């Protein structure tokens, strides 16, 4: 009887232990009480990476006790025990040091040379071969109205490096909603999955800074990153006399490991205001452009964690002007150095998801690592009814 009783309690405790509980974390700035966007929440037990949305929110299923690692390049990171999260919704406050003065680094090497070396070393250190489980989300706005949406859950198998990173893509689930006019070609719908990993793993978005003419077009500087003393901050801003649509660049990097942690760029309103408006047929007048990628270092592993891109422009057509805006998110939810087996017929070979037939097996977007905001949910719902 005692053995049966013991077995019963063991089974009961095992059942309780294995229960899955949904948790919602809200990250806020401790001084301003504003939400913190693009913070990484890493669940050690499941090796799942989450990214806070514009409301500072992540949602995940908690199964058993685990450490939770929260990090953001602009805030002091923390590691916490999941047992401290008693309620379903839990708010965490992070401290920012952005108001501190950045100490300028003086080096014999020009920052452009340092950047070239950083890119070369980062490319060499990125894990290959590697498998990235990725969630992708894209919003498309036409003439001020959201008219198209697509997202998908995919596996990228990266299998070569150097200047020719290649990957096979297996699409697990996907959905696309809305209508796009025939004249809006597919290259306006954001991500091209045929070369996306090659672009991110070769740091293609930094190429404008590597050209010899960039020495005249940009003002370079390197500082100790005030929010994280272990990192340096390399900036490149268009010089006063520079011409053309030039971005402001920021590169956060580890000076000891000589690898890039984050890349961001944007076209400032001042640059847009200086641009002469184009009127020829098919020309684009860009009025918003921003880009951001974050790379994760986890022991010996180094890989792409997330990216975000936005672009908005007016395109001149024969008899009218079309306003186009695209917003894309790309989140690596799980990483592995193991290869997976598949048939060549299973490989996704199109440029993007919007032509692929919807495959919805589960509500995968709720376990995507990127929770949609209430506004985004309403946009998706409205587009799905078009």
């Amino acid at each position: 009887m005692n053995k049966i009783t013991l077995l019963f309690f063991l089974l009961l405790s095992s059942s309780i232990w294995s229960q899955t509980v949904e948790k919602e974390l809200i990250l806020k700035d401790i001084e301003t009480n504003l939400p913190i966007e693009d913070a990484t929440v890493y669940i050690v037990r499941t090796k799942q990476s989450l990214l806070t949305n514009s409301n500072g929110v992540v949602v995940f299923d908690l199964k058993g006790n685990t450490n939770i690692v929260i990090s953001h390049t602009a805030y002091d990171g923390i590691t916490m025990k999941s047992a401290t999260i008693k309620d379903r919704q839990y708010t965490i406050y992070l401290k920012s040091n952005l108001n501190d003065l950045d100490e300028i680094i003086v080096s014999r090497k020009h920052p452009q040379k340092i950047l070239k070396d950083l890119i070369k070393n980062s490319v060499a250190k990125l894990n290959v071969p590697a498998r990235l489980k990725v969630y992708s989300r894209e919003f498309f706005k036409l003439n001020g109205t959201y008219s198209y949406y697509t997202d998908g859950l995919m596996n990228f198998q990266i299998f070569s490096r150097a200047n020719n990173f290649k990957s096979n893509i297996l699409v697990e689930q996907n959905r696309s909603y809305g209508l796009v006019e025939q004249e809006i070609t597919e290259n306006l719908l954001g991500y091209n999955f045929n070369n996306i990993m090659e672009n991110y793993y070769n740091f293609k978005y930094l190429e404008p800074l590597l050209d010899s003419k960039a020495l005249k077009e940009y003002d370079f500087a390197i500082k100790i990153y005030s929010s994280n003393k272990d990192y340096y901050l390399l900036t490149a801003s268009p010089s006063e006399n520079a011409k053309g649509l030039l971005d402001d660049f920021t590169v956060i990097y580890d000076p000891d490991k000589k690898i890039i942690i984050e890349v961001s760029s944007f076209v400032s309103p001042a640059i847009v205001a200086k641009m002469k408006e184009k009127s020829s047929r098919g020309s684009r007048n860009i009025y918003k452009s921003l880009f951001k990628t974050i790379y994760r270092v986890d022991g010996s592993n180094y890989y792409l964690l997330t990216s975000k891109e936005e672009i908005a422009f007016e395109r001149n057509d024969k008899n009218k002007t079309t306003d186009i805006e695209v917003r894309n998110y790309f989140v690596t939810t799980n990483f592995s150095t193991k290869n997976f087996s598949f048939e060549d017929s299973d490989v996704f070979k199109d440029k993007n998801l919007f032509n692929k037939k919807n495959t919805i097996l589960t509500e995968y977007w709720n376990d995507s690592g990127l929770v949609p905001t209430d506004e985004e949910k309403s946009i998706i719902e409205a587009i799905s009814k078009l």
Side-chain angles (χ1 to χ4, degrees):
M1 178 64 70
N2 289 336
K3 290 183 178 179
I4 295 175
T5 303
L6 177 61
L7 178 61
F8 172 77
F9 280 109
L10 286 174
L11 291 173
L12 178 62
S13 62
S14 175
S15 175
I16 294 173
W17 179 262
S18 63
Q19 285 181 355
T20 299
V21 181
E22 185 181 77
K23 296 291 184 179
E24 177 180 328
L25 298 184
I26 305 172
L27 271 59
K28 291 187 176 183
D29 188 300
I30 196 170
E31 295 180 358
T32 66
N33 203 41
L34 294 175
I36 300 174
E37 186 178 8
D38 294 338
T40 302
V41 179
Y42 182 66
I43 313 301
V44 175
R45 184 185 180 94
T46 59
K47 296 182 179 181
Q48 184 182 13
S49 293
L50 313 166
L51 193 71
T52 56
N53 61 21
S54 58
N55 292 331
V57 174
V58 295
V59 176
F60 59 96
D61 289 333
L62 184 63
K63 186 176 182 180
N65 287 331
T66 181
N67 280 345
I68 299 174
V69 182
I70 300 174
S71 59
H72 191 293
T73 53
Y75 290 85
D76 294 337
I78 63 171
T79 298
M80 61 186 296
K81 299 286 187 181
S82 60
T84 63
I85 308 174
K86 301 299 184 182
D87 300 324
R88 179 195 172 277
Q89 188 180 82
Y90 190 80
T91 302
I92 299 171
Y93 294 91
L94 300 183
K95 184 179 184 301
S96 170
N97 293 318
L98 284 179
N99 293 326
D100 293 349
L101 294 177
D102 294 317
E103 180 182 343
I104 296 177
I105 302 298
V106 178
S107 173
R108 292 182 179 180
K109 280 186 179 181
H110 190 278
Q112 187 192 61
K113 171 61 177 172
I114 292 175
L115 180 60
K116 288 180 179 179
D117 292 342
L118 279 171
I119 293 174
K120 182 178 180 181
N121 192 61
S122 297
V123 167
K125 291 289 182 66
L126 285 162
N127 287 87
V128 176
R131 183 176 71 198
L132 278 67
K133 192 180 187 69
V134 166
Y135 174 71
S136 174
R137 175 187 296 163
E138 304 186 52
F139 292 91
F140 181 82
K141 184 185 286 188
L142 181 63
N143 293 325
T145 302
Y146 284 102
S147 56
Y148 194 87
Y149 173 84
T150 184
D151 67 14
L153 192 63
M154 297 170 283
N155 286 287
F156 282 77
Q157 178 69 62
I158 306 173
F159 56 85
S160 65
R161 62 164 63 252
N163 293 321
N164 191 31
F165 283 101
K166 296 295 182 183
S167 61
N168 285 325
I169 308 170
L170 303 181
V171 179
E172 291 187 12
Q173 302 185 62
N174 68 286
R175 57 178 179 168
S176 297
Y177 299 128
L179 301 172
V180 179
E181 296 179 9
Q182 292 182 353
E183 64 191 47
I184 307 300
T185 57
E186 63 183 52
N187 65 349
L188 298 180
L189 292 176
Y191 289 139
N192 179 348
F193 293 123
N194 288 339
N195 63 10
I196 190 170
M197 284 302 176
E198 184 176 353
N199 291 342
Y200 289 152
Y201 273 51
N202 281 316
F203 300 90
K204 183 178 180 180
Y205 290 84
L206 291 173
E207 286 183 357
L209 300 180
L210 305 182
D211 196 281
S212 58
K213 64 181 181 180
L215 294 173
K216 295 182 178 180
E217 293 178 330
Y218 286 91
D219 295 324
F220 289 83
I222 296 180
K223 304 175 183 179
I224 294 177
Y225 189 41
S226 62
S227 296
N228 189 328
K229 303 300 183 182
D230 294 328
Y231 293 154
Y232 282 3
L233 181 71
L234 187 153
T235 60
S237 303
S239 58
E240 187 176 347
N241 298 321
K243 297 180 180 180
L245 196 69
L246 303 180
D247 292 66
D248 280 85
F249 288 90
T250 299
V251 179
I252 300 172
Y253 68 95
D254 186 322
D256 295 326
K257 296 180 180 179
K258 295 180 173 56
I259 55 175
I260 295 172
I261 303 299
E262 182 176 304
V263 177
S264 59
S265 68
F266 72 98
V267 176
S268 71
I271 291 293
V272 173
K274 288 169 56 177
M275 295 298 298
K276 183 178 180 180
E277 191 167 305
K278 301 174 184 178
S279 57
S280 59
R281 183 177 179 182
S283 61
R284 300 180 180 183
N285 291 302
I286 296 175
Y287 60 87
K288 181 171 71 173
S289 176
L290 63 87
F291 165 81
K292 182 178 183 178
T293 53
I294 301 173
Y295 298 83
R296 179 174 176 79
V297 181
D298 182 14
S300 61
N301 295 324
Y302 176 47
Y303 57 93
L304 173 72
L305 181 62
T306 180
S307 76
K308 180 170 65 176
E309 299 185 43
E310 291 186 40
I311 187 168
F313 57 90
E314 291 182 342
R315 193 185 69 180
N316 293 309
D317 298 309
K318 185 176 180 180
N319 299 315
K320 63 178 181 178
T321 298
T322 304
D323 189 280
I324 296 169
E325 185 172 347
V326 185
R327 177 157 44 102
N328 308 315
Y329 300 93
F330 191 86
V331 182
T332 298
T333 60
N334 287 96
F335 167 84
S336 173
T337 55
K338 297 179 181 179
N339 294 334
F340 49 73
S341 301
F342 56 89
E343 300 292 335
D344 185 65
S345 58
D346 297 328
V347 177
F348 179 71
K349 298 179 180 179
D350 290 340
K351 288 184 177 181
N352 34 50
L353 291 173
F354 74 93
N355 278 330
K356 181 175 172 57
K357 183 179 178 181
N358 286 4
T359 304
I360 303 174
L361 306 176
T362 64
E363 293 184 353
Y364 62 90
W365 47 88
N366 290 331
D367 191 32
S368 64
L370 180 63
V371 179
T373 63
D374 290 339
E375 179 188 14
E376 289 172 336
K377 287 179 182 177
S378 63
I379 291 171
I380 296 168
E381 183 178 352
I383 295 176
S384 66
K385 295 177 180 178
L386 292 177

